[in-house]
Amino acid sequence: MYNVNGCRMRKPLMMVAGVAIAATIIAGAGMKIWAQSAGGATLPEVKAILTTAPQVPPPVYRQGNARVIVNLEMTEVTATLAGGVKYAFWTFGGSVPGPFVRVRVGDIVQINLKNNHGSRNPHSIDLHAVTGPGGGAAVTQLGPGQEGAFEFKTLNPGLFVYHCATPSVPMHIANGMYGLILVEPEKGLPRVDREYYVMQGEFYTKGKTLAQGMQAYDHEKNRNERPEYVVFNGKMGALMGEQALKANLGETVRLFVGNGGPNLVSSFHVIGEIFDAVYTEGAITGQPAQNVQTTLVLAGGAVVVEMKMNVPGRYLLVDHSIVRAMDKGVLDPSRLQVLSSLTSSGRSSPAWAGPAGTRQDAAGTARLNPAAPPPNREEEDYLPRTVKTGQGAPATTREAMLPTKNLTMPVCPWVPMTIRSAFFDLAARMICSWATPSRSSVAARAPALRALASSALRRFWAYLRDEASRSS
């Protein structure tokens, strides 16, 4: 790791100057060695294709290594955290998480960093892909309006986190300053049909979860590791509706999953799917674990998961530390819809064929060719239905994935029925109704939902009476 042109900066740096100078002195000799041995002057120069989540840049198909130019601007923006909730995010590139960077092992990566003149705080970058003291943070402590640059050689393949490392580091990360950089091995990764970028993060607000209006950061909650929000891709609902991840029946999907933290470990799980391959902790050159139900994503860490979409439907992406999923990010009570879903359908869509089986749009984002759907199968053929067990007509039933038709109110087996509040039960059942594919109209489901609401109210009042009698 070494400075480019002495780290171009227009203003003197005052904050953390002692730390930065000390780290630079300690690393100075090593930086000169890298400059002599990297051979960067003879490499072709390419500008990195950067994408915002959930999109991923196309694979690195070029021959040999290159000097890859990565331009990042650090900005402070006010945006939506949840319905009716605003927050002042600190960002790389104006988005949370920051842009996805994709390079190859052996590349020389030049980071051109700018702190927007409208920022009110100094910022920096620490890339876990860097081999060298500070990961770049020591030479990129930039005040508002300042610019700096450094470069490093990618020595290790893997999926790595980058984040701001300006004191207070937990505060900068908790405000949204993190992202992922993928360093591909020399021969690249195995081909898949689709790739997506998902990153979990925590937000610590003064107000409680879903308290309306502009919310300020609460450092005491951060110190106590008690977030009000645990979300994917920077806000509640980031992967809902038109923003849902999409795949066609029979396709293999690869998810690059990161955890910005700053505190919690994620138990990443896709409800209704089993991961065919998991590259734990971003170690993409080893043998992947197979047939995995849930995988850990450490704070400041990442994982790569792959799964083949064998059954059409909608699949929930959750942190299976389930209170976070139901109360702090994956359930939005104001809309009662699935917030993080991967939709698999049996239909193909037209696109432009590109090299190596990809599709390339005008912006340079890879869209991979869909597989044709299996013949003579419809989405409704895979709906869950209640099947009687035992002899005769017993009272007990169980759920089974069997072909059925005209199912209007499925009851999903994964809903935790031990939840005491009847309203949560109602919400979960309504989500099941939405999450299970069916061609029944909303009007056809309305009577069943009204009946559930009436039942939930009765049970709720009974619960209150019971609690009152016990307390007395």
Side-chain angles (χ1 to χ4, degrees):
M1 180 180 67
Y2 54 97
N3 286 326
V4 178
N5 297 329
C7 188
R8 304 182 301 274
M9 298 181 184
R10 296 196 299 265
K11 301 176 183 177
L13 289 179
M14 301 301 295
M15 293 196 63
V16 296
V19 176
I21 292 171
T24 304
I25 292 173
I26 293 171
M31 291 176 181
K32 292 181 179 178
I33 293 172
W34 279 119
Q36 294 171 359
S37 62
T42 62
L43 294 176
E45 187 173 291
V46 298
K47 185 177 179 180
I49 298 175
L50 305 180
T51 59
T52 56
Q55 301 305 319
V56 177
V60 180
Y61 288 123
R62 56 179 158 77
Q63 297 294 324
N65 291 117
R67 177 186 295 274
V68 183
I69 309 300
V70 178
N71 298 316
L72 290 174
E73 184 174 10
M74 301 173 290
T75 61
E76 300 174 9
V77 299
T78 298
T80 299
L81 177 58
V85 182
K86 296 289 186 179
Y87 191 79
F89 297 92
W90 300 354
T91 76
F92 290 100
S95 66
V96 178
F100 194 101
V101 183
R102 193 166 193 163
V103 296
R104 174 183 287 169
V105 67
D107 285 345
I108 300 296
V109 180
Q110 179 175 316
I111 304 292
N112 295 329
L113 202 62
K114 177 181 179 181
N115 191 357
N116 185 274
H117 63 84
S119 296
R120 302 176 62 183
N121 302 276
H123 299 296
S124 62
I125 191 169
D126 169 9
L127 300 102
H128 293 186
V130 170
T131 301
V139 292
T140 58
Q141 299 290 336
L142 304 175
Q146 292 181 333
E147 298 180 23
F150 77 101
E151 59 185 32
F152 66 96
K153 184 176 182 179
T154 53
L155 300 179
N156 303 90
L159 181 64
F160 301 97
V161 168
Y162 66 84
H163 60 85
C164 183
T166 297
S168 157
V169 177
M171 180 181 184
H172 284 251
I173 295 176
N175 281 330
M177 299 197 74
Y178 47 78
L180 290 180
I181 175 171
L182 174 65
V183 181
E184 290 191 4
E186 290 184 5
K187 296 182 179 180
L189 296 175
R191 293 182 183 178
V192 294
D193 298 297
R194 294 178 187 264
E195 296 179 324
Y196 289 111
Y197 172 22
V198 177
M199 198 159 188
Q200 181 170 311
E202 307 142 28
F203 291 91
Y204 299 82
T205 58
K206 290 285 187 182
K208 293 187 178 297
T209 308
L210 293 178
Q212 298 294 283
M214 185 70 186
Q215 292 297 317
Y217 164 78
D218 190 321
H219 192 66
E220 193 61 29
K221 289 182 181 179
N222 193 351
R223 284 170 55 89
N224 294 327
E225 301 183 8
R226 299 181 64 86
E228 293 295 336
Y229 297 87
V230 182
V231 299
F232 292 133
N233 290 359
K235 68 175 182 177
M236 295 178 73
L239 299 176
M240 185 184 72
E242 292 299 319
Q243 287 73 46
L245 311 182
K246 295 177 176 62
N248 292 306
L249 195 63
E251 288 185 332
T252 296
V253 176
R254 175 181 291 141
L255 300 180
F256 298 104
V257 185
N259 183 6
N263 297 314
L264 304 182
V265 173
S266 174
S267 302
F268 185 71
H269 177 75
V270 177
I271 298 177
E273 263 296 340
I274 298 171
F275 301 135
D276 299 311
V278 174
Y279 297 88
T280 57
E281 300 179 14
I284 56 178
T285 54
Q287 288 297 318
Q290 297 179 337
N291 305 319
V292 176
Q293 57 184 322
T294 302
T295 187
L296 291 178
V297 191
L298 306 179
V303 67
V304 182
V305 302
E306 297 173 0
M307 52 191 167
K308 185 174 182 179
M309 310 311 297
N310 294 311
V311 178
R314 294 180 175 91
Y315 297 83
L316 301 179
L317 280 64
V318 300
D319 179 344
H320 215 290
S321 299
I322 207 66
V323 168
R324 303 174 195 168
M326 298 299 291
D327 292 352
K328 295 188 176 183
V330 182
L331 177 66
D332 183 349
S334 66
R335 285 179 285 183
L336 291 177
Q337 293 183 357
V338 177
L339 297 188
S340 300
S341 64
L342 191 148
T343 302
S344 174
S345 71
R347 305 178 183 85
S348 300
S349 57
W352 297 272
T358 69
R359 297 173 179 177
Q360 199 81 10
D361 62 17
T365 302
R367 302 182 182 278
L368 303 176
N369 292 332
N376 302 322
R377 284 189 175 179
E378 299 180 0
E379 291 183 2
E380 290 185 354
D381 290 337
Y382 292 94
L383 293 180
R385 79 173 190 188
T386 301
V387 181
K388 294 180 179 180
T389 60
Q391 299 296 323
T396 59
T397 62
R398 65 180 176 89
E399 290 291 319
M401 293 296 291
L402 295 178
T404 186
K405 295 285 184 179
N406 302 321
L407 183 64
T408 59
M409 197 63 221
V411 180
C412 297
W414 46 265
V415 175
M417 301 307 292
T418 57
I419 297 177
R420 299 180 72 181
S421 169
F423 285 114
F424 273 113
D425 183 34
L426 170 64
R429 288 170 180 264
M430 291 177 72
I431 289 175
C432 285
S433 175
W434 182 88
T436 307
S438 174
R439 293 174 185 165
S440 303
S441 66
V442 174
R445 296 173 185 235
L449 294 177
R450 282 197 296 268
L452 276 173
S454 177
S455 173
L457 285 171
R458 289 195 300 271
R459 290 159 54 199
F460 182 66
W461 285 116
Y463 165 73
L464 290 180
R465 287 195 301 270
D466 292 343
E467 289 294 305
S469 62
R470 277 193 289 269
S471 63
S472 61

